[in-house]
Amino acid sequence: MSPTVPRSLCASARPLRVYMYDLPRRFHVGMLDRRSSSEEAAPVTADNFPPWPSNSGIKTQHSVEYWLMASLLYGGDEEEGREAVRVSDPETAEAFFVPFFSSLSFNTHGHNMTDPETEVDRRLQVELLEFLRKSEYYQRSGGRDHVIPMTHPNAFRFLRQELNASLLVVVDFGRYPRNMSSLSKDVVAPYVHVVDSFTDDDPLDPYESRNTLLFFRGNTIRKDQGRIRIKLAKILSGIDDVHYEKGGATPKNIIVSTEGMRSSKFCLHPAGDTPSSCRLFDAIVSHCVPVIVSDKIELPYEDEIDYTEFSIFFSMNEVLEPGYLVNELRRFPKDRWLEMWKRLKSVSHHFEFQYPPKKEDAVNMLWRQVKHKLPGVQLALHRSRRLKVPDWWQRRR
């Protein structure tokens, strides 16, 4: 068995020093409870930081921005495995965190893109850019050492390209042009899972206790590569031990999905509107071996975690051949499945967002990923200071 996550050569013994900008509440926690404005001027601290709403439903999947901010407010000891600590002096910072909840802003103000309230989301983006452009630290690096979460595909959609030099935290690159976001510059985050974690998964025979071979429940009408879902619905229909069902992300359906994943050997993860979806991480914390069908997916912490140890990958062309996917899963050896199931149990804590943060949980893994990107940030910054002509590497593409 491989170690859970080998300590990266890029990771140092001390936590990353992060300066977090003090933005007004309307940019972050003010969106969690818009009925209350009495504390707009009060600084956000660990004592008054509001809990994530338990009734937020599917919005939870894009709450990475909330948990990153929470981790910097936490005042625990460095010995607790923290990968980042907040510093009050920006001169001592190695990275700068911009606490704008851009995904929540879209979900709160602009989810219906034709709604007049969308203007609130656009105005927040304009104000944030004005704020950053006045910051000497943003100007000093051109924003390269500034960490900005944008996990919803439509987060910061009006002015996104104005921040293309910054270190973005994304879930995939489906809605980002190559000149704005890339694997070399940015950090891939997991979605925050919406099903409950399977904490007492200890049957005598894990393989036989899961009666369903393959499980999928979700929207089947998707755009782009997600069109494969409706094709899979036809291919997989009528197979006794395959559960492939259309279902939206309602509280009732989340409960049904929780039960379905926990009773299935394999969980199908086809591409959606973008290459990734929350379903993959729901499967991981349910210890249901993910079957990933998404040719352009990128995965979190992949420099530290080998997903082939607990997931199976198929190309989109392979699964469109009738009978191929199910036959391959039926032939999959039980002992190999058990190894993957055990591996899922050993890595699932890396996909948990929680407060207070814990050693090598999702938020600490993300800060470690930020740390891995900083040498590249420094290289780009130092080159930009001495170049007298436009970057010739860019012109060669």
Side-chain angles (χ1 to χ4, degrees):
M1 179 75 64
S2 302
T4 303
V5 172
R7 171 64 73 163
S8 167
L9 294 176
C10 296
S12 63
R14 60 173 178 75
L16 180 70
R17 298 189 301 273
V18 182
Y19 179 82
M20 179 166 62
Y21 285 105
D22 185 15
L23 294 174
R25 285 172 171 255
R26 66 181 179 276
F27 286 94
H28 39 76
V29 298
M31 286 182 266
L32 295 175
D33 185 4
R34 291 193 287 169
R35 297 169 300 178
S36 175
S37 60
S38 60
E39 293 187 81
E40 173 65 25
V44 179
T45 66
D47 293 331
N48 62 20
F49 192 67
W52 181 259
S54 59
N55 62 348
S56 57
I58 198 65
K59 291 181 182 179
T60 298
Q61 66 179 330
H62 295 298
S63 61
V64 172
E65 54 206 13
Y66 169 90
W67 300 105
L68 286 172
M69 182 178 183
S71 71
L72 294 177
L73 291 171
Y74 179 60
D77 296 330
E78 293 184 7
E79 289 75 18
E80 295 176 351
R82 301 176 68 192
E83 295 290 343
V85 292
R86 184 183 186 184
V87 295
S88 58
D89 182 1
E91 291 293 339
T92 66
E94 298 165 291
F96 295 78
F97 180 67
V98 181
F100 173 42
F101 292 178
S102 59
S103 296
L104 185 59
S105 181
F106 172 77
N107 278 324
T108 302
H109 303 302
H111 190 64
N112 181 349
M113 293 191 191
T114 60
D115 195 299
E117 197 173 354
T118 299
E119 175 62 18
V120 178
D121 184 30
R122 190 193 71 83
R123 189 64 221 165
L124 286 172
Q125 294 171 37
V126 170
E127 290 180 23
L128 182 68
L129 278 174
E130 291 173 350
F131 173 87
L132 289 175
R133 286 168 176 165
K134 293 176 183 177
S135 164
E136 64 175 292
Y137 301 101
Y138 185 85
Q139 294 175 20
R140 186 174 66 185
S141 69
R144 291 181 179 87
D145 54 3
H146 282 53
V147 180
I148 306 177
M150 293 187 192
T151 56
H152 193 288
N154 294 315
F156 225 104
R157 65 191 179 98
F158 293 106
L159 300 170
R160 183 182 290 175
Q161 297 222 38
E162 299 294 321
L163 298 169
N164 60 2
S166 295
L167 200 164
L168 307 181
V169 180
V170 301
V171 292
D172 59 40
F173 301 98
R175 299 272 179 91
Y176 296 87
R178 292 184 181 181
N179 64 346
M180 177 184 176
S181 188
S182 68
L183 196 59
S184 61
K185 175 179 76 72
D186 301 316
V187 168
V188 178
Y191 288 79
V192 181
H193 62 83
V194 297
V195 305
D196 291 337
S197 300
F198 200 177
T199 57
D200 55 348
D201 184 16
D202 296 301
L204 293 176
D205 191 334
Y207 186 85
E208 297 300 333
S209 71
R210 293 173 178 252
N211 299 319
T212 301
L213 176 70
L214 180 64
F215 179 85
F216 172 87
R217 184 181 178 88
N219 290 317
T220 56
I221 308 299
R222 300 280 85 175
K223 295 175 284 188
D224 300 324
Q225 287 195 336
R227 294 187 182 95
I228 194 173
R229 293 189 182 187
I230 196 68
K231 297 177 182 179
L232 286 170
K234 297 176 182 178
I235 292 172
L236 298 174
S237 65
I239 303 174
D240 288 343
D241 54 354
V242 173
H243 185 104
Y244 193 98
E245 184 179 1
K246 179 181 180 180
T250 64
K252 181 179 179 181
N253 282 341
I254 290 174
I255 294 174
V256 173
S257 292
T258 301
E259 296 170 350
M261 288 184 170
R262 293 182 180 187
S263 59
S264 301
K265 296 177 177 67
F266 300 98
C267 285
L268 186 61
H269 172 75
D273 289 340
T274 64
S276 65
S277 79
C278 184
R279 185 171 295 100
L280 169 60
F281 307 101
D282 288 343
I284 289 174
V285 300
S286 301
H287 312 148
C288 180
V289 174
V291 176
I292 299 174
V293 184
S294 182
D295 293 345
K296 296 181 179 179
I297 195 170
E298 295 296 344
L299 299 165
Y301 339 129
E302 204 167 6
D303 57 343
E304 301 193 63
I305 291 179
D306 182 356
Y307 282 76
T308 63
E309 294 179 351
F310 54 84
S311 306
I312 306 174
F313 294 82
F314 291 94
S315 72
M316 299 179 83
N317 287 335
E318 285 176 326
V319 300
L320 290 178
E321 180 182 334
Y324 179 82
L325 174 61
V326 171
N327 289 337
E328 288 295 304
L329 296 181
R330 291 201 196 286
R331 287 197 292 261
F332 198 80
K334 177 179 178 178
D335 58 350
R336 178 67 181 123
W337 183 91
L338 286 170
E339 289 177 5
M340 288 190 166
W341 174 78
K342 292 175 183 177
R343 186 71 175 128
L344 282 167
K345 294 182 70 176
S346 72
V347 301
S348 61
H349 68 285
H350 299 308
F351 303 91
E352 297 289 354
F353 289 87
Q354 57 207 334
Y355 185 84
K358 295 182 181 179
K359 184 177 181 179
E360 294 198 331
D361 66 0
V363 77
N364 276 307
M365 293 289 285
L366 285 176
W367 283 122
R368 194 149 85 202
Q369 289 294 302
V370 170
K371 194 185 300 184
H372 294 181
K373 301 293 183 181
L374 290 181
V377 169
Q378 291 302 315
L379 172 62
L381 181 58
H382 295 166
R383 288 187 73 247
S384 70
R385 288 173 178 168
R386 55 90 172 168
L387 285 174
K388 299 297 184 180
V389 297
D391 193 339
W392 59 283
W393 279 102
Q394 297 292 331
R395 297 204 307 272
R396 287 179 59 179
R397 292 181 181 178

